[in-house]
Amino acid sequence: MHKKGLIILLLILATTIGYSQSENIKIKSEHLKEANYLKMDDFYLTHYLYIDLFLRENLFPTASPEEVSTILKAIKTYVSVDTPLEIEIEKPGDRNYVIKMAILKKDDGTELLIAFTNWSTKERKFEKEIKTENDSYTRWYFLNDNKMTYRKDMSAENDYETMSKSDLANAYLFDELSDNDTKIKSTIDDALEESNVTVVEDITSHLILLKHQIFLRDHDNIATQTDYINELIETNETEFDLRGVKMAFIATKFQIELMK
């Protein structure tokens, strides 16, 4: 089947049979059963989907850890090649926020987890329904065993030879190559030992170290590193523009809550 046709078919399959959830979240699917098909590490699920489906485009930034966890757990439990999942979130205003998760399996065996939404990037508003043929906000991720990789984080999309140590460690952390996981810590250490870096660059490297500790479930060091980054930001925020790294730090602390 043609890729576009399959995507449209997957969307049509999602109907309105509900499932137990928090008061303002409705999780739906035609044949709701525990497929447990998705095998990605929860580190990737919580990192990508929290940022992409809640923070980006200001879609649902006020979501609580409990609400986000409810949605992510349902995605991992019920979504499969045969079963897409529809999630509707009640919001103030005329339209609710609708997410449809589906897996596209290509002819070469490659699998993509696709998140469709009813957010119009052109009109900057929630539409009545998802429109895959135009400007509805959509994200997709490559699935490979326990890896889940955003398309722009794939190794083929990046030139590792020209990256800074900090960027390279981040690339190793999120690319699809398991062999690169063993290179993350030493590359971060190299980045942290570099001199003549800006305050923002230094905090960014420490944030990547924290991300790696979350990936490893290194709980003792997660707490220590979180306190250290918080101190770095408090010490320097009056002198430097740290808005970007502060936002990244807040999102990372939220991920820590999701991973508990």
Side-chain angles (χ1 to χ4, degrees), residues 1-237:
M1 180 181 291
H2 192 275
K3 178 179 177 181
K4 183 176 180 181
L6 179 56
I7 292 174
I8 293 173
L9 174 61
L10 289 171
L11 289 175
I12 292 172
L13 287 174
T15 57
T16 58
I17 299 176
Y19 144 82
S20 177
Q21 54 243 306
S22 63
E23 186 174 333
N24 66 330
I25 298 172
K26 295 180 181 178
I27 298 176
K28 311 169 183 180
S29 184
E30 184 179 14
H31 302 293
L32 195 61
K33 61 181 180 180
E34 293 191 13
N36 295 309
Y37 184 85
L38 295 171
K39 304 301 182 185
M40 80 282 281
D41 191 297
D42 285 344
F43 170 79
Y44 304 111
L45 191 75
T46 54
H47 169 79
Y48 282 121
L49 295 192
Y50 173 58
I51 292 173
D52 290 348
L53 298 183
F54 296 87
L55 299 185
R56 290 194 195 280
E57 302 285 323
N58 206 35
L59 290 170
F60 189 20
T62 59
S64 68
E66 293 75 22
E67 289 171 322
V68 176
S69 291
T70 294
I71 292 170
L72 298 187
K73 182 178 179 181
I75 290 170
K76 194 165 186 182
T77 301
Y78 296 109
V79 174
S80 70
V81 174
D82 299 320
T83 307
L85 195 70
E86 179 182 310
I87 302 154
E88 183 175 353
I89 303 168
E90 292 185 7
K91 291 178 63 68
D94 297 334
R95 304 287 185 210
N96 288 339
Y97 175 26
V98 179
I99 304 167
K100 288 184 179 178
M101 304 296 301
I103 295 176
L104 173 66
K105 191 165 187 175
K106 300 169 69 174
D107 291 340
D108 63 0
T110 301
E111 290 187 332
L112 300 175
L113 177 65
I114 308 175
F116 305 95
T117 76
N118 65 329
W119 175 255
S120 169
T121 56
K122 182 178 180 180
E123 300 294 332
R124 312 297 301 168
K125 66 179 183 179
F126 292 104
E127 301 282 7
K128 182 178 180 180
E129 58 189 14
I130 294 172
K131 300 176 181 178
T132 59
E133 71 278 4
N134 51 31
D135 56 4
S136 288
Y137 174 73
T138 303
R139 307 289 280 189
W140 61 93
Y141 315 88
F142 288 86
L143 301 176
N144 182 22
D145 295 327
N146 70 333
K147 292 278 192 178
M148 169 179 164
T149 309
Y150 178 55
R151 59 188 180 86
K152 291 186 178 180
D153 289 333
M154 296 290 285
S155 57
E157 297 295 318
N158 296 284
D159 184 359
Y160 289 3
E161 297 296 326
T162 62
M163 287 183 172
S164 67
K165 291 294 185 181
S166 180
D167 287 343
L168 184 58
N170 192 67
Y172 287 157
L173 182 59
F174 290 106
D175 71 17
E176 81 285 8
L177 303 176
S178 296
D179 288 347
N180 283 342
D181 291 351
T182 60
K183 304 175 185 177
I184 299 168
K185 182 59 168 62
S186 61
T187 308
I188 296 173
D189 289 343
D190 289 343
L192 291 172
E193 290 175 2
E194 289 182 330
S195 58
N196 299 321
V197 296
T198 67
V199 170
V200 171
E201 289 170 338
D202 183 51
I203 295 174
T204 299
S205 294
H206 279 286
L207 274 171
I208 296 168
L209 175 58
L210 177 58
K211 280 285 189 180
H212 186 232
Q213 291 165 344
I214 297 170
F215 173 66
L216 296 176
R217 278 68 165 177
D218 186 358
H219 299 295
D220 290 340
N221 281 322
I222 287 171
T224 301
Q225 183 69 359
T226 299
D227 290 342
Y228 181 69
I229 294 173
N230 192 64
E231 183 180 343
L232 276 178
I233 291 174
E234 288 183 351
T235 301
N236 292 283
E237 64 181 339

